Each structure stands twice: as structure tokens, then as C-alpha cells.
Amino acid sequence: MFMGEYHHSLDEKGRIIIPKNYREELGESFIVTRGLENCLFVYAMSEWNKIVEKLKKLPFTKKDARNFTRFFLSGATIVELDKQGRINISSPLMDYASLEKECVVVGVNDRIEIWSKDKWENFFYENQDSLSDIAENLFVSDIDLDL
């Protein structure tokens, strides 16, 4: 499981350090693609393969299925770590996520997300006050208090 928040800089060649504690779980090669909310999603190959199998089951006759599949797969790139633990992010992915210099690498259970520092801070501050409401809507108590 990936978790934690790390701040790293993108160098002039479009490379970013992947935190050391994420590298073993990712393996030697893994996938970077467009994520939601204008960040990048990073998947180990085993998780990526599960997602691809789910995408294959979507009905191609549905416009939303076609559009999502195009969006998600067209940006997908296989990357490998260099000797310093960095990956090279392609220009289209950097443009999509507005990555310039300062970035935030976030562990989110089965994936890693790479955000521009500004977008991450905006997302975080816009949502932090509603976290209690979000949790209440997502999680239902197992305790039945009907007396």
C-alpha cells in the first residue's frame, strides 16, 4: 500500500525522484498516466493490469466508456527508475498536470499521484473543511442504534 506525502522538484529534463519507500513496490518498470483532478497516476504493473482488465469490460458502445478509456490509456507511459531513483515524465503528461518545478508525490493506497505543488495545495485547502462530511457520506456505521 502506498501512503504519505513527499515534496520533490522536477528537474530541467522532466525527471522527478520517486520516494525510496515506493520504489520496491513499484518494481523496475511501471505506468504513469493522466489521473483525475489534473494530477498523474502511477501504478505498479500488477495494479495496472487489473485496471486494463476492467477497462476491457466497459461497453465500447457507450460514449463515456470510450472517452474515459481514450483519456486514460492514451497518456499511459511505461517508465523505469534511473540509478538515482528518478523517472522521466513526458511533455504531454507534464502539461496535463501543470508540472513545472515543485511537485508533491502522494501515496494513495494502490497508486501514487504526482501533483504540481500549487494544484495539490488548492485541492487540499478546498477539501479539508469538508472531510468530515465526506467521511460521513462514505462510511456507514455498523452499529444499529434503533431502540
Side-chain angles (χ1 to χ4, degrees):
M1 173 168 72
F2 298 108
M3 59 184 178
E5 176 181 326
Y6 301 87
H7 294 251
H8 290 287
S9 295
L10 196 66
D11 71 13
E12 65 282 347
K13 294 181 181 178
R15 297 175 300 194
I16 189 169
I17 292 173
I18 297 299
K20 189 173 184 176
N21 59 333
Y22 294 166
R23 295 178 203 161
E24 186 174 324
E25 191 167 342
L26 285 171
E28 290 190 26
S29 62
F30 46 93
I31 301 292
V32 179
T33 192
R34 291 181 194 98
L36 305 176
E37 289 91 26
N38 290 96
C39 71
L40 302 180
F41 286 177
V42 180
Y43 290 100
M45 291 305 253
S46 58
E47 285 299 320
W48 179 252
N49 291 333
K50 291 176 192 176
I51 291 168
V52 169
E53 286 306 311
K54 290 179 184 177
L55 291 174
K56 285 180 183 179
K57 293 176 184 174
L58 294 175
F60 75 92
T61 56
K62 299 284 186 181
K63 186 176 182 177
D64 285 346
R66 292 191 310 272
N67 287 343
F68 183 80
T69 302
R70 285 181 191 124
F71 170 85
F72 202 64
L73 294 178
S74 67
T77 306
I78 298 174
V79 297
E80 294 182 0
L81 293 165
D82 68 10
K83 292 177 183 174
Q84 285 78 39
R86 302 173 299 189
I87 59 168
N88 193 339
I89 299 174
S90 68
S91 293
L93 292 178
M94 285 194 311
D95 291 344
Y96 170 76
S98 302
L99 300 180
E100 292 177 1
K101 183 74 175 161
E102 296 181 57
C103 298
V104 182
V105 181
V106 183
V108 187
N109 195 14
D110 64 344
R111 70 178 177 273
I112 296 167
E113 296 180 351
I114 301 174
W115 292 75
S116 75
K117 183 181 178 198
D118 291 341
K119 285 191 181 290
W120 172 252
E121 288 176 351
N122 288 339
F123 169 81
F124 188 85
Y125 293 121
E126 286 175 7
N127 289 285
Q128 70 179 355
D129 291 338
S130 60
L131 187 58
S132 293
D133 294 333
I134 292 168
E136 186 175 319
N137 291 332
L138 289 176
F139 302 102
V140 178
S141 174
D142 290 340
I143 301 171
D144 186 4
L145 296 178
D146 287 337
L147 299 174

